[in-house]
């Protein structure tokens, strides 16, 4: 197996060798997915390469002010009208996470897989996977430095966004000395830390508050008080005028209850699927749990989608959590 440094060199060679790239991240992109997409785009523009950035859906509005965020094509609204043979996937633990963007991949396309999920199955032609990294943006910081690029506030803000959001505001256990030292360097390039924290972590829309209230009203705990969960239905989403990104962070409420080891948010979708977001206080590896249901993620934060009715799926998932406790 190659070392991380050797993988970085391979990535450099890959990026220099090809042109006309497609940069994609996962469905329902979070801060790390968006900032990693933009960081790759920024690097490719520095290298004078042609590239297109696409996501299956819209990027969260709170990230609109990031460099070129408006240039990430929303595949559900706009088709590129062509296919691509050089793909760069960022923050995607497995190939399925790219969603429908795979419909614009050419058969047998080259794939560069840059990610930090421990469940990443190395689906790329070239892989740069570092599970110890707090965010894919942290890995991209290393990639950018392999190229000797000139840092500025735009690219620094993109990388900082990924670090900030994937560490929950530099609070989670993945907030390593390396994360803090990178963040410190990025601030010196002109990143506005407090403003980003305000827009990305603090600020809430009214629909977001309404759906939070509804979700908290569904709170249930296991008999021993170590598992807590809430759920949201399509009716509730409609009533609150909420969209998917408004659910971000809700899963932390059940998990934050004293004595709770695993918190879960169940979201039933109109499609008949139920999405479960799992958060662990540290004792249970929720990535392992999510994998039982075909999902994945990190030790303390993971997710999966299961087909079926909410009433059936909740006890099934809770039962699996109990087995792990
Ligand atoms: Mn990430």
């Amino acid at each position: 197996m190659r070392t991380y440094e050797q993988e970085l060199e391979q990535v450099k060679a890959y990026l220099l060798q090809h042109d006309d790239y497609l940069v994609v991240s996962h469905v329902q992109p979070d801060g790390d997915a968006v900032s990693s997409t933009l960081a790759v785009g920024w690097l490719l523009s520095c290298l004078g390469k042609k590239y297109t950035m696409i996501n299956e859906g819209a990027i969260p509005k709170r990230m609109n002010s990031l460099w070129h965020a408006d240039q990430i094509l929303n595949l559900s609204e706009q088709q590129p009208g062509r296919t691509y043979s050089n793909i760069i996937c960022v923050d995607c633990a497995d190939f399925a996470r790219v969603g429908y963007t795979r419909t614009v991949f050419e058969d047998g396309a080259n794939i560069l897989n840059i990610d930090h999920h421990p469940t990443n199955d190395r689906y790329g032609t070239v892989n740069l996977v570092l599970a110890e990294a707090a965010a894919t943006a942290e890995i991209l910081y290393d990639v950018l430095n392999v190229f000797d690029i000139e840092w500025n506030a735009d690219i620094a803000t993109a990388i900082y966004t990924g670090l900030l959001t994937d560490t929950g505001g530099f609070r989670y256990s993945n907030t390593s000395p390396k994360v803090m030292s990178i963040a410190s360097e990025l601030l010196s390039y002109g990143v506005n830390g407090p403003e980003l924290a305000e827009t990305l972590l603090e600020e809430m829309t009214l629909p977001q508050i309404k759906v939070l209230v509804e979700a908290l009203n569904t709170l249930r705990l296991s008999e021993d008080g170590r598992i807590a969960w809430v759920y949201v239905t399509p009716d509730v989403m409609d009533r609150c005028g909420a969209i998917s990104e408004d659910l971000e962070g809700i899963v932390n409420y059940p998990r934050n209850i004293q004595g709770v080891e695993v918190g879960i948010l169940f979201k039933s979708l109109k499609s008949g699927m139920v999405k479960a977001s799992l958060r662990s206080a540290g004792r249970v590896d929720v990535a392992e749990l999510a994998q039982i249901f075909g999902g994945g993620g990190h030790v303390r934060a993971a997710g999966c989608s299961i087909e079926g009715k909410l009433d059936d799926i909740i006890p099934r998932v809770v039962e699996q959590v109990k087995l792990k406790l």
Side-chain angles (χ1 to χ4, degrees), residues 26 30 32-33 91 115-117 134-136 166 298:
H26 56 78
D30 55 14
D32 190 29
D91 206 39
D115 185 39
H116 71 126
H117 293 89
T136 300
D166 262 22
H298 304 283

Side-chain angles (χ1 to χ4, degrees), residues 103-163:
T103 57
V104 297
F105 295 6
E106 234 154 67
D107 285 340
N110 295 311
I111 294 179
L112 168 58
N113 162 25
I114 305 179
D115 185 39
H116 71 126
H117 293 89
T119 53
N120 190 293
D121 59 8
R122 302 181 74 87
Y123 54 87
T125 325
V126 176
N127 299 285
L128 180 63
V129 180
L130 185 67
E132 299 85 69
T136 300
E138 178 184 328
I139 302 174
L140 285 167
Y141 167 86
D142 292 334
V143 172
L144 291 169
N145 281 330
V146 171
F147 283 93
D148 260 342
I149 55 103
E150 185 110 16
W151 286 89
N152 66 26
D154 285 339
I155 180 60
T157 300
I159 299 287
Y160 189 95
T161 294
L163 296 180

Side-chain angles (χ1 to χ4, degrees), residues 52-270:
T52 308
M53 301 180 288
I54 293 190
N55 200 279
E56 181 189 302
I59 72 155
K61 286 189 203 75
R62 59 182 74 223
M63 289 157 205
N64 276 350
S65 62
L66 291 174
W67 177 88
H68 285 193
D70 58 334
Q71 292 185 17
I72 301 178
L73 211 75
N74 176 352
L75 195 70
S76 59
E77 283 180 353
Q78 205 185 343
Q79 293 286 328
R82 53 162 292 195
T83 54
Y84 295 82
S85 55
N86 292 307
I87 318 292
I88 303 172
C89 294
V90 289
D91 206 39
C92 296
D94 56 69
F95 186 67
R97 291 284 285 153
V98 304
Y100 289 119
T101 60
R102 65 178 169 272
T103 57
V104 297
F105 295 6
E106 234 154 67
D107 285 340
N110 295 311
I111 294 179
L112 168 58
N113 162 25
I114 305 179
D115 185 39
H116 71 126
H117 293 89
T119 53
N120 190 293
D121 59 8
R122 302 181 74 87
Y123 54 87
T125 325
V126 176
N127 299 285
L128 180 63
V129 180
L130 185 67
E132 299 85 69
T136 300
E138 178 184 328
I139 302 174
L140 285 167
Y141 167 86
D142 292 334
V143 172
L144 291 169
N145 281 330
V146 171
F147 283 93
D148 260 342
I149 55 103
E150 185 110 16
W151 286 89
N152 66 26
D154 285 339
I155 180 60
T157 300
I159 299 287
Y160 189 95
T161 294
L163 296 180
L164 181 77
T165 51
D166 262 22
T167 58
F170 305 114
R171 290 179 306 164
Y172 302 156
S173 58
N174 58 0
T175 312
S176 64
K178 185 181 171 191
V179 167
M180 294 311 261
S181 101
I182 296 173
S184 150
E185 186 189 329
L186 297 176
L187 287 171
S188 77
Y189 301 134
V191 171
N192 190 335
E195 190 181 283
L196 285 172
E198 174 67 29
T199 356
L200 297 166
L201 304 174
E202 300 291 333
E203 208 171 76
M204 291 179 88
T205 61
L206 193 55
Q208 216 177 345
I209 290 278
K210 285 183 178 170
V211 79
L212 170 64
V213 171
E214 295 269 5
L216 291 179
N217 266 323
T218 69
L219 178 70
R220 297 284 181 283
L221 276 96
S222 58
E223 307 81 59
D224 61 2
R226 294 166 83 194
I227 312 166
W229 62 93
V230 295
Y231 64 84
V232 174
T233 61
D235 279 355
V236 164
M237 294 293 284
D238 288 346
R239 203 180 329 133
C240 300
I243 52 173
S244 188
E245 67 188 70
D246 294 325
L247 299 179
E248 217 176 297
I250 290 182
V251 64
N252 292 322
Y253 286 87
R255 206 228 59 180
N256 285 347
I257 300 166
Q258 232 172 39
V260 167
E261 285 294 337
V262 176
I264 315 166
L265 164 69
F266 294 98
K267 182 196 176 192
S268 73
L269 304 170
K270 283 175 182 153

